Amino acid sequence: MANYSTVFNQLLALIPRYHFERFVNSFNGDRYVKTLKFWNQLG
């Protein structure tokens, strides 16, 4: 089975994870999340 990189995945590769985590933390995005964090949803 072949793996293909989607356009969305290619766009996420341009965003440094540190900046994404800082942005999520500034808005308390993962405040009530227990298992599936924002970064895991996008990846």
Side-chain angles (χ1 to χ4, degrees):
M1 182 195 298
N3 287 334
Y4 296 102
S5 183
T6 63
V7 174
F8 188 65
N9 193 10
Q10 292 173 5
L11 288 173
L12 283 178
L14 299 174
I15 302 172
R17 185 170 180 165
Y18 170 76
H19 292 297
F20 181 81
E21 292 285 339
R22 189 171 54 159
F23 183 72
V24 170
N25 289 336
S26 69
F27 289 101
N28 291 326
D30 285 335
R31 184 176 183 184
Y32 298 110
V33 177
K34 293 183 180 179
T35 57
L36 189 61
K37 305 284 184 178
F38 273 104
W39 187 260
N40 293 334
Q41 290 180 18
L42 296 177

